[in-house]
mmCIF file of all heavy atoms in Angstrom:
data_model
loop_
_atom_site.group_PDB
_atom_site.id
_atom_site.type_symbol
_atom_site.label_atom_id
_atom_site.label_comp_id
_atom_site.label_asym_id
_atom_site.label_seq_id
_atom_site.Cartn_x
_atom_site.Cartn_y
_atom_site.Cartn_z
ATOM 1 N N MET B 120 163.563 -50.289 -46.905
ATOM 2 C CA MET B 120 164.912 -50.782 -47.194
ATOM 3 C C MET B 120 165.526 -50.008 -48.356
ATOM 4 O O MET B 120 166.727 -49.770 -48.390
ATOM 5 C CB MET B 120 164.845 -52.267 -47.560
ATOM 6 C CG MET B 120 164.649 -53.156 -46.372
ATOM 7 S SD MET B 120 166.029 -52.956 -45.276
ATOM 8 C CE MET B 120 165.277 -52.521 -43.780
ATOM 9 N N THR B 123 166.694 -46.394 -46.873
ATOM 10 C CA THR B 123 167.482 -46.231 -45.660
ATOM 11 C C THR B 123 168.940 -45.997 -46.038
ATOM 12 O O THR B 123 169.510 -46.775 -46.805
ATOM 13 C CB THR B 123 167.390 -47.488 -44.782
ATOM 14 O OG1 THR B 123 166.026 -47.763 -44.543
ATOM 15 C CG2 THR B 123 168.094 -47.271 -43.470
ATOM 16 N N LEU B 126 171.848 -48.846 -46.349
ATOM 17 C CA LEU B 126 171.333 -50.156 -46.738
ATOM 18 C C LEU B 126 170.775 -50.156 -48.152
ATOM 19 O O LEU B 126 170.632 -51.206 -48.767
ATOM 20 C CB LEU B 126 170.213 -50.592 -45.781
ATOM 21 C CG LEU B 126 170.620 -50.849 -44.340
ATOM 22 C CD1 LEU B 126 169.387 -51.110 -43.502
ATOM 23 C CD2 LEU B 126 171.560 -52.035 -44.267
ATOM 24 N N SER B 183 161.790 -47.102 -41.874
ATOM 25 C CA SER B 183 163.117 -46.685 -42.310
ATOM 26 C C SER B 183 163.834 -45.947 -41.183
ATOM 27 O O SER B 183 165.053 -46.033 -41.051
ATOM 28 C CB SER B 183 163.036 -45.833 -43.571
ATOM 29 O OG SER B 183 162.739 -44.514 -43.260
ATOM 30 N N GLU B 184 163.059 -45.252 -40.315
ATOM 31 C CA GLU B 184 163.698 -44.622 -39.157
ATOM 32 C C GLU B 184 164.268 -45.683 -38.229
ATOM 33 O O GLU B 184 165.378 -45.536 -37.696
ATOM 34 C CB GLU B 184 162.693 -43.751 -38.411
ATOM 35 C CG GLU B 184 162.610 -42.354 -38.987
ATOM 36 C CD GLU B 184 161.406 -41.592 -38.499
ATOM 37 O OE1 GLU B 184 160.733 -42.058 -37.547
ATOM 38 O OE2 GLU B 184 161.104 -40.538 -39.080
ATOM 39 N N ALA B 185 163.509 -46.782 -38.041
ATOM 40 C CA ALA B 185 163.993 -47.845 -37.153
ATOM 41 C C ALA B 185 165.226 -48.517 -37.740
ATOM 42 O O ALA B 185 166.191 -48.816 -37.031
ATOM 43 C CB ALA B 185 162.896 -48.881 -36.923
ATOM 44 N N SER B 186 165.225 -48.757 -39.065
ATOM 45 C CA SER B 186 166.348 -49.490 -39.637
ATOM 46 C C SER B 186 167.568 -48.605 -39.798
ATOM 47 O O SER B 186 168.683 -49.090 -39.937
ATOM 48 C CB SER B 186 165.951 -50.101 -40.980
ATOM 49 O OG SER B 186 165.461 -49.111 -41.826
ATOM 50 N N GLU B 187 167.360 -47.266 -39.742
ATOM 51 C CA GLU B 187 168.529 -46.393 -39.787
ATOM 52 C C GLU B 187 169.366 -46.544 -38.520
ATOM 53 O O GLU B 187 170.575 -46.327 -38.531
ATOM 54 C CB GLU B 187 168.069 -44.944 -39.953
ATOM 55 C CG GLU B 187 168.705 -44.288 -41.139
ATOM 56 C CD GLU B 187 167.898 -43.131 -41.664
ATOM 57 O OE1 GLU B 187 167.493 -42.271 -40.872
ATOM 58 O OE2 GLU B 187 167.686 -43.098 -42.891
ATOM 59 N N ASN B 188 168.695 -46.903 -37.421
ATOM 60 C CA ASN B 188 169.417 -47.069 -36.163
ATOM 61 C C ASN B 188 169.997 -48.463 -35.999
ATOM 62 O O ASN B 188 170.594 -48.765 -34.969
ATOM 63 C CB ASN B 188 168.484 -46.788 -34.985
ATOM 64 C CG ASN B 188 168.057 -45.339 -34.967
ATOM 65 O OD1 ASN B 188 168.836 -44.468 -35.344
ATOM 66 N ND2 ASN B 188 166.836 -45.069 -34.557
ATOM 67 N N ALA B 189 169.793 -49.331 -37.001
ATOM 68 C CA ALA B 189 170.290 -50.707 -36.875
ATOM 69 C C ALA B 189 171.817 -50.709 -36.961
ATOM 70 O O ALA B 189 172.422 -49.865 -37.631
ATOM 71 C CB ALA B 189 169.700 -51.576 -37.964
ATOM 72 N N ASP B 190 172.410 -51.672 -36.276
ATOM 73 C CA ASP B 190 173.867 -51.832 -36.289
ATOM 74 C C ASP B 190 174.273 -52.411 -37.645
ATOM 75 O O ASP B 190 173.719 -53.419 -38.092
ATOM 76 C CB ASP B 190 174.246 -52.788 -35.159
ATOM 77 C CG ASP B 190 175.746 -52.851 -34.974
ATOM 78 O OD1 ASP B 190 176.454 -52.160 -35.743
ATOM 79 O OD2 ASP B 190 176.198 -53.581 -34.082
ATOM 80 N N LEU B 191 175.258 -51.785 -38.313
ATOM 81 C CA LEU B 191 175.615 -52.232 -39.655
ATOM 82 C C LEU B 191 176.677 -53.337 -39.643
ATOM 83 O O LEU B 191 177.003 -53.894 -40.690
ATOM 84 C CB LEU B 191 176.127 -51.050 -40.488
ATOM 85 C CG LEU B 191 175.032 -50.087 -40.948
ATOM 86 C CD1 LEU B 191 175.600 -49.000 -41.813
ATOM 87 C CD2 LEU B 191 173.937 -50.850 -41.711
ATOM 88 N N LYS B 192 177.201 -53.661 -38.450
ATOM 89 C CA LYS B 192 178.280 -54.664 -38.408
ATOM 90 C C LYS B 192 177.832 -56.028 -38.908
ATOM 91 O O LYS B 192 178.567 -56.659 -39.683
ATOM 92 C CB LYS B 192 178.840 -54.763 -36.992
ATOM 93 C CG LYS B 192 179.774 -53.598 -36.710
ATOM 94 C CD LYS B 192 180.518 -53.777 -35.417
ATOM 95 C CE LYS B 192 181.199 -52.484 -35.030
ATOM 96 N NZ LYS B 192 180.631 -51.938 -33.784
ATOM 97 N N PRO B 193 176.660 -56.529 -38.488
ATOM 98 C CA PRO B 193 176.234 -57.841 -39.029
ATOM 99 C C PRO B 193 176.117 -57.800 -40.550
ATOM 100 O O PRO B 193 176.452 -58.773 -41.231
ATOM 101 C CB PRO B 193 174.865 -58.060 -38.391
ATOM 102 C CG PRO B 193 174.804 -57.149 -37.241
ATOM 103 C CD PRO B 193 175.711 -56.007 -37.512
ATOM 104 N N VAL B 194 175.669 -56.640 -41.083
ATOM 105 C CA VAL B 194 175.518 -56.515 -42.530
ATOM 106 C C VAL B 194 176.887 -56.620 -43.195
ATOM 107 O O VAL B 194 177.045 -57.331 -44.210
ATOM 108 C CB VAL B 194 174.847 -55.178 -42.881
ATOM 109 C CG1 VAL B 194 174.642 -55.059 -44.373
ATOM 110 C CG2 VAL B 194 173.530 -55.038 -42.146
ATOM 111 N N GLY B 211 170.739 -59.946 -41.701
ATOM 112 C CA GLY B 211 171.516 -58.980 -40.930
ATOM 113 C C GLY B 211 170.678 -57.875 -40.319
ATOM 114 O O GLY B 211 170.943 -57.431 -39.203
ATOM 115 N N VAL B 212 169.655 -57.384 -41.048
ATOM 116 C CA VAL B 212 168.895 -56.231 -40.567
ATOM 117 C C VAL B 212 167.585 -56.663 -39.901
ATOM 118 O O VAL B 212 167.268 -56.234 -38.799
ATOM 119 C CB VAL B 212 168.593 -55.254 -41.728
ATOM 120 C CG1 VAL B 212 167.866 -54.038 -41.217
ATOM 121 C CG2 VAL B 212 169.874 -54.850 -42.417
ATOM 122 N N LEU B 213 166.853 -57.552 -40.566
ATOM 123 C CA LEU B 213 165.519 -57.919 -40.067
ATOM 124 C C LEU B 213 165.533 -58.381 -38.614
ATOM 125 O O LEU B 213 164.704 -57.932 -37.826
ATOM 126 C CB LEU B 213 164.892 -58.986 -40.958
ATOM 127 C CG LEU B 213 163.949 -58.484 -42.040
ATOM 128 C CD1 LEU B 213 163.205 -59.652 -42.652
ATOM 129 C CD2 LEU B 213 162.953 -57.491 -41.459
ATOM 130 N N GLN B 215 167.339 -57.525 -36.260
ATOM 131 C CA GLN B 215 167.536 -56.388 -35.361
ATOM 132 C C GLN B 215 166.291 -55.532 -35.234
ATOM 133 O O GLN B 215 165.973 -55.037 -34.153
ATOM 134 C CB GLN B 215 168.658 -55.489 -35.901
ATOM 135 C CG GLN B 215 170.015 -56.087 -35.874
ATOM 136 C CD GLN B 215 171.033 -55.027 -36.255
ATOM 137 O OE1 GLN B 215 171.128 -53.991 -35.623
ATOM 138 N NE2 GLN B 215 171.790 -55.299 -37.298
ATOM 139 N N VAL B 216 165.611 -55.312 -36.374
ATOM 140 C CA VAL B 216 164.501 -54.356 -36.350
ATOM 141 C C VAL B 216 163.157 -55.024 -36.119
ATOM 142 O O VAL B 216 162.166 -54.331 -35.892
ATOM 143 C CB VAL B 216 164.437 -53.527 -37.654
ATOM 144 C CG1 VAL B 216 165.672 -52.657 -37.790
ATOM 145 C CG2 VAL B 216 164.270 -54.413 -38.857
#
Side-chain angles (χ1 to χ4, degrees):
Chain B
M120 284 299 124
T123 305
L126 295 173
S183 82
E184 274 166 11
S186 55
E187 235 156 49
N188 294 326
D190 188 359
L191 286 183
K192 282 189 192 115
V194 182
V212 183
L213 264 191
Q215 292 188 58
V216 295

